[in-house]
Amino acid sequence: MMTLTPLVSVRGLSKHYTSRRGTLRILEDISFEIGKGEVVGLVGESGSGKTTIGRAILRLIEPTAGEVRINGTDIVPLSAAKLRQLRPQMQYVFQDPFASLSPRMTVGEILTEGLTIQGIGTRAERLERAAKALENVELPAEAINRYPHEFSGGQRQRIGIARALTLAPEFIVADEPVSALDVSIQAQVINLLRDLQQRLGLTMLFISHDLAVVEYICDRVIVLYLGRIMEIAPSEVLYARPRHPYTKALLSAIPSPDPQNPVTRQILSGDIPSIANPPSGCVFRTRCPKAKPACATAVPPLREVAPGHFKACILEEAEL
């Protein structure tokens, strides 16, 4: 699916929950790869399963099926002890900087907690790494003795990013890292993430609903709808020539900066279906303006329609 050496390889990932009403299929047969040093965006409407993918990949929640390989090692069947040994390689930046930092811990304690759990270095060495992480996210060294409530939202998110960096990970999942921040702060954090990724050679899964931000920071984009992948393509290709009706509708929602050249909106009818009762066949067909009777009979496979460009749709380009 790609030419870069994959650092992360996801195959057949599924996540189901059982309730009194039956089985809730949150994710179904998710497969993709992320190359070393690559930033891959994951987009889709709220409720599509983006955060569930991010957490399942790092086993913050347990997948129901599938495999997740980090540097060639499938982490899904690993015991808790063996998984702990691999934790430094993969870290998570949470969406809400107000909820993800303990109010009872100083910044220094927050940043060194992972190092302490892993038994890395002496206390002085751990504090030195914490100070370096603060420097990387452009916060002053004296912040190490302060508490989270003493910082603004943007500064707290920088602390969350610094916490992920202290263990020197190769792979980071950034789960909507700017959605809880003021617009004036979002650009600063996005530029910081982009600079850190390039300077430290990080591999990143960037989860967002902001398509303009994804275009700016990501090398490739995965489009998700109701727990299934609709399209995967390099960013410049996806934004210039989307091949799936859902992707076209999402991209049409990006505001145009030029009032003299407004975007033609593609308004989807209805709401996203309930995950408890998804449509048969293609899960997008109930809202798709191009849907045909055949769309209800079988789940369309993710197929390559151009080099590095995949879509899950039975329609050919001329029919879109």
Side-chain angles (χ1 to χ4, degrees):
M1 292 177 65
M2 60 183 299
T3 57
L4 292 174
T5 303
L7 177 73
V8 180
S9 178
V10 179
R11 287 286 176 268
L13 183 68
S14 298
K15 179 60 182 176
H16 302 163
Y17 291 100
T18 302
S19 70
R20 288 177 294 179
R21 296 183 178 182
T23 300
L24 301 178
R25 300 178 180 274
I26 308 300
L27 299 177
E28 199 66 42
D29 194 24
I30 300 296
S31 297
F32 61 89
E33 293 179 343
I34 306 177
K36 291 183 178 181
E38 187 180 30
V39 181
V40 172
L42 183 59
V43 302
E45 292 173 275
S46 296
S48 59
K50 302 187 299 296
T51 293
T52 303
I53 287 180
R55 297 192 175 192
I57 286 175
L58 298 193
R59 274 188 62 187
L60 299 181
I61 59 174
E62 294 295 333
T64 302
E67 66 177 38
V68 178
R69 294 188 177 274
I70 309 291
N71 271 328
T73 301
D74 185 4
I75 69 170
V76 173
L78 293 183
S79 66
K82 290 185 177 180
L83 182 61
R84 177 179 289 185
Q85 296 174 9
L86 296 180
R87 282 292 181 203
Q89 298 180 27
M90 47 189 181
Q91 291 294 298
Y92 202 97
V93 176
F94 293 91
Q95 176 178 354
D96 187 351
F98 294 90
S100 63
L101 302 177
S102 172
R104 294 182 174 87
M105 299 172 70
T106 65
V107 169
E109 291 169 336
I110 289 170
L111 298 186
T112 59
E113 183 179 25
L115 297 170
T116 303
I117 291 171
Q118 292 291 332
I120 297 173
T122 64
R123 183 176 184 276
E125 290 170 340
R126 291 194 288 268
L127 287 174
E128 184 179 346
R129 288 180 68 159
K132 178 62 177 177
L134 287 175
E135 180 184 338
N136 280 332
V137 298
E138 300 172 3
L139 286 177
E142 57 267 24
I144 204 166
N145 296 315
R146 295 161 62 187
Y147 288 86
H149 72 268
E150 300 179 63
F151 297 90
S152 67
Q155 289 172 324
R156 290 190 197 194
Q157 193 59 291
R158 289 172 185 264
I159 294 168
I161 295 169
R163 175 174 57 185
L165 295 177
T166 54
L167 286 162
E170 294 183 73
F171 175 54
I172 286 180
V173 175
D175 185 3
E176 301 203 33
V178 297
S179 63
L181 305 179
D182 293 339
V183 174
S184 60
I185 304 300
Q186 288 182 8
Q188 297 177 20
V189 175
I190 287 297
N191 286 328
L192 173 65
L193 280 171
R194 189 183 191 195
D195 175 66
L196 288 170
Q197 186 273 326
Q198 294 174 346
R199 182 153 44 91
L200 302 178
L202 297 172
T203 301
M204 190 181 303
L205 179 65
F206 186 88
I207 300 171
S208 181
H209 61 267
D210 190 326
L211 292 162
V213 169
V214 169
E215 182 181 18
Y216 174 71
I217 197 172
C218 297
D219 302 304
R220 284 189 303 132
V221 181
I222 300 170
V223 180
L224 195 70
Y225 182 83
L226 210 66
R228 288 186 177 273
I229 292 177
M230 299 288 104
E231 190 166 4
I232 304 176
S235 295
E236 65 275 12
V237 174
L238 186 91
Y239 282 79
R241 194 178 180 184
R243 300 286 190 94
H244 196 285
Y246 180 57
T247 308
K248 289 187 174 185
L250 283 182
L251 295 181
S252 76
I254 300 176
S256 172
D258 184 2
Q260 304 301 322
N261 187 28
V263 176
T264 301
R265 306 291 182 198
Q266 296 186 26
I267 307 299
L268 297 177
S269 61
D271 296 321
I272 188 169
S274 169
I275 200 70
N277 186 29
S280 62
C282 175
V283 291
F284 181 60
R285 67 175 178 81
T286 56
R287 302 175 71 197
C288 180
K290 304 290 185 177
K292 300 163 62 174
C295 297
T297 59
V299 176
L302 192 64
R303 59 191 176 97
E304 190 168 20
V305 294
H309 195 153
F310 300 79
K311 74 171 183 178
C313 182
I314 64 171
L315 300 178
E316 300 300 332
E317 187 170 5
E319 301 177 272
L320 297 176

